[in-house]
Amino acid sequence: MKYQRSSQLFKQAQAVIPGGVNSPVRAFKAVGGTPIFVDKAEGAYLYDVDGNRLIDYINSWGPMILGHAYKPVVDAVIEKAKKGTSFGMPTAIETKIAELAISMVPNIDKIRFVNSGTEACMSAVRLARGYSGREKIIKFSGCYHGHSDSFLIQAGSGAVTFGSPNSPGVTQGTAKDTLLAPYNNLESVKEIFQANPGEIAAIIVEPVAGNMGCIPPVSGFLEGLRALCDTHDTVLIFDEVMTGFRLDKGGVQSLYGICADIVCFGKVIGGGLPVGAFAASGEIMKHLAPEGPVYQAGTLSGNPLAMAAGHALLTALNSDDDVYQRLAMKTNYLHQGISKALKSHHIPHSINSVGSMISVHFSEAPVTDFKTAALGNNKRFKQFFHGMLNAGIYIAPSAFESWFITDALSYEDLDFTIAAVETVASSL
Ligand code: HOZ
């Protein structure tokens, strides 16, 4: 494949945008080569500026669960845009999507819309602190909750891809209030509670981790967190920015039957427009301004185009009884196919998948936390990434990310992908 035009555009962008990109993982630094500039996308495919067609396994890092340029979403945005794009005043569509989201997700009475997953998690922690009157939070190494200061401490995703899981610019004062535990390790969470009695405002967790590749919770982990939070009057925050409306209508709370106190959303809830949200019981949400004293605001929050896109996508998901099963079947088909292809060439690997999230680690040990995720053979991942790209398949340009499956993928696309893995594996 040729990437001449992408190369030119990247050079031009680097002169005026740091690293040529508006979010670091797009820069291909971890895998080398030129980031691909997109012209358009439709269904399961990306079309780049050089005229290449790629099967997309990233789907804008999650939102495009029913495929790119999904007609009901595009139509809803166009119709809204004709009436004006932002007012900084309430609109009826905000209440409509709030009602729909609350009807789909358990344990939430009220929801506040923001502009990104980062904002959602940042605001959820502030709310938990304001509600509990405590300051410390527990987060898990390798989990990524966006780029706000409290979370850039042993963070996953781009932060670890670029080797700065603890970012310069985060003050020691902020960092000291974020206490770290290994993912899937309940004992270490218990120890933190013992060492900080009455001080933990919240635990924030990706209930299925997606920012160190995909890592499911081991049996009893989420239940144990719930029990510890109950014992210590601590707020349990599920960061469902990736998993919300993706793994199930009600997210991980419904999938595994565990209640969180605050839930954060992003990605799917915005249908591909910039939306995040956080939600909780009325009891907790009443602490939020203007009802309560915990402040949070945004000029473009609840933007009508974004709300219309999210509402159209959630409506489609809510009215399709089989969609999550179809997605899981496609993901499982891919999981088995890739595993078989890698095995046939004796490539050590470990594949995790849950619902429509999947990732491939090039190490034999089961990947259950950040430490085991970091054991993967990065050189091999790079070769794999470029081999797949040459075959017309776009996977995440980092071993510390999940792939997101879309319902627009056909079984022919999946077979084509598995065949490409077979060919690439023979050259690894
Ligand atoms: N939050 C996305 C998944 N880790 C990455 C998006 C980005 O950092 O650009």
Side-chain angles (χ1 to χ4, degrees):
M1 293 219 184
K2 293 213 170 78
Y3 299 110
Q4 234 168 349
R5 183 81 185 118
S6 275
S7 281
Q8 277 166 5
L9 288 173
F10 187 44
K11 252 189 218 133
Q12 210 179 325
Q14 281 171 300
V16 285
I17 301 172
V21 291
N22 281 312
S23 194
V25 290
R26 297 177 197 169
F28 275 28
K29 268 197 151 175
V31 289
T34 298
I36 291 160
F37 279 61
V38 179
D39 176 33
K40 61 175 187 174
E42 208 180 333
Y45 310 117
L46 294 167
Y47 299 85
D48 72 13
V49 289
D50 286 285
N52 303 306
R53 190 193 85 164
L54 301 164
I55 301 179
D56 187 10
Y57 283 98
I58 303 305
N59 287 293
S60 186
W61 301 97
M64 305 307 175
I65 189 166
L66 299 181
H68 287 284
Y70 182 62
K71 193 169 179 321
V73 170
V74 173
D75 289 348
V77 172
I78 290 172
E79 278 316 302
K80 271 284 174 237
K82 286 182 190 162
K83 295 172 130 187
T85 57
S86 176
F87 316 110
M89 295 166 77
T91 54
I93 187 73
E94 294 165 70
T95 310
K96 244 174 119 178
I97 184 174
E99 286 170 349
L100 179 56
I102 289 167
S103 74
M104 292 170 77
V105 177
N107 309 314
I108 59 171
D109 301 323
K110 291 195 176 176
I111 184 164
R112 170 63 61 84
F113 287 95
V114 292
N115 300 291
S116 67
T118 292
E119 259 189 80
C121 294
M122 178 186 86
S123 309
V125 164
R126 185 180 304 139
L127 178 59
R129 285 177 166 147
Y131 172 74
S132 65
R134 301 173 182 174
E135 295 191 353
K136 294 184 179 170
I137 59 166
I138 298 177
K139 90 170 265 291
F140 296 90
S141 309
C143 280
Y144 177 75
H145 307 289
H147 60 92
S148 98
D149 285 2
S150 305
F151 305 131
L152 284 183
I153 295 151
Q154 289 197 23
S157 188
V160 66
T161 302
F162 299 114
S164 51
N166 309 309
S167 173
V170 175
T171 65
Q172 282 183 9
T174 299
K176 79 169 181 13
D177 287 329
T178 301
L179 309 173
L180 288 163
Y183 195 73
N184 274 329
N185 186 330
L186 215 45
E187 271 317 300
S188 70
V189 180
K190 283 184 194 160
E191 284 164 19
I192 294 175
F193 272 110
Q194 268 160 18
N196 299 271
E199 290 188 88
I200 312 291
I203 295 179
I204 184 163
V205 64
E206 293 179 67
V208 168
N211 283 289
M212 39 186 164
C214 172
I215 303 187
V218 296
S219 164
F221 178 58
L222 297 177
E223 291 85 345
L225 295 182
R226 178 67 274 169
L228 282 169
C229 284
D230 288 342
T231 305
H232 296 278
D233 279 329
T234 291
V235 177
L236 181 59
I237 304 174
F238 272 11
D239 172 352
E240 296 226 43
V241 169
M242 281 184 175
T243 54
F245 306 101
R246 170 164 281 282
L247 298 189
D248 189 271
K249 267 180 207 174
V252 175
Q253 286 195 97
S254 320
L255 192 67
Y256 295 136
I258 319 268
C259 307
D261 298 309
I262 305 182
V263 191
C264 304
F265 300 102
K267 304 193 189 277
V268 173
I269 200 170
L273 271 80
V275 179
F278 58 106
S281 64
E283 172 55 28
I284 293 180
M285 291 302 262
K286 76 178 186 206
H287 289 75
L288 200 62
E291 264 185 83
V294 178
Y295 200 70
Q296 182 280 322
T299 298
L300 287 168
S301 293
N303 171 267
L305 306 193
M307 297 294 95
H311 183 262
L313 188 55
L314 295 196
T315 301
L317 293 169
N318 196 34
S319 57
D320 185 340
D321 288 339
D322 303 324
V323 63
Y324 292 103
Q325 203 190 350
R326 275 199 312 275
L327 281 160
M329 280 169 67
K330 287 179 185 179
T331 309
N332 194 40
Y333 187 83
L334 189 69
H335 184 146
Q336 302 308 328
I338 295 178
S339 190
K340 196 168 158 213
L342 292 175
K343 257 187 212 144
S344 72
H345 293 281
H346 310 289
I347 309 285
H349 67 278
S350 177
I351 303 178
N352 285 339
S353 65
V354 180
S356 55
M357 289 165 64
I358 180 169
S359 61
V360 180
H361 292 267
F362 289 105
S363 58
E364 219 140 26
V367 174
T368 56
D369 57 11
F370 178 66
K371 210 165 141 196
T372 42
L375 292 176
N377 180 335
N378 264 332
K379 191 167 160 232
R380 185 160 271 168
F381 180 83
K382 280 186 207 177
Q383 291 167 334
F384 181 68
F385 172 84
H386 283 291
M388 294 301 281
L389 193 56
N390 275 331
I393 293 154
Y394 187 60
I395 62 168
S398 161
F400 294 102
E401 301 285 1
S402 297
W403 311 5
F404 297 97
I405 304 304
T406 164
D407 196 37
L409 281 164
S410 65
Y411 278 88
E412 288 74 52
D413 295 324
L414 298 173
D415 284 335
F416 182 87
T417 305
I418 293 163
V421 173
E422 172 80 41
T423 309
V424 173
S426 68
S427 69
L428 291 177

